[in-house]
Amino acid sequence: MSTPFTPDVVEAIKRHMNDDHADDSLLICRALGGRPEATSAVTSGVDAEAIEFLAVVDGREVTVRVPWSTTLTERAQVRAEVVRLYREACAALGVPARGEH
């Protein structure tokens, strides 16, 4: 797992995702992470290749990694990739996506 992100950046991304986008994380895990039965999810990591979640499936925590569309090299790319994943997850699940993220 390679990362161009410092530990502080990873923690900031995780905090933002978990504080502001917990429902989005769950949608991503269900639709793109192969865990349609997940009941909750928190962002647990971010690296150049993927975003990682801890999802609750059948009462136990499981790790779910969802790859980015490309290898990331800078922090600004994370937002665009998360929005893309969210919109793809909404489309896959037939859930209307919110406007701006």
Side-chain angles (χ1 to χ4, degrees), residues 9-94:
V9 167
V10 171
E11 286 303 313
I13 293 167
K14 287 170 32 180
R15 185 172 40 257
H16 173 72
M17 287 295 297
N18 293 329
D19 289 350
D20 298 340
H21 300 288
D23 292 340
D24 301 351
S25 297
L26 181 57
L27 289 173
I28 292 167
C29 285
R30 285 179 174 168
L32 307 176
R35 294 298 187 164
E37 69 281 11
T39 56
S40 67
V42 295
T43 303
S44 58
V46 176
D47 60 50
E49 306 300 326
I51 187 166
E52 192 166 279
F53 304 95
L54 284 178
V56 175
V57 178
D58 296 327
R60 63 184 180 88
E61 282 190 338
V62 297
T63 299
V64 178
R65 276 182 65 83
V66 180
W68 306 125
S69 65
T70 187
T71 300
L72 304 187
T73 58
E74 57 188 54
R75 181 181 183 168
Q77 294 171 293
V78 173
R79 181 182 186 281
E81 282 295 301
V82 170
V83 170
R84 179 189 62 79
L85 291 174
Y86 165 74
R87 289 189 177 145
E88 284 184 16
C90 288
L93 295 172

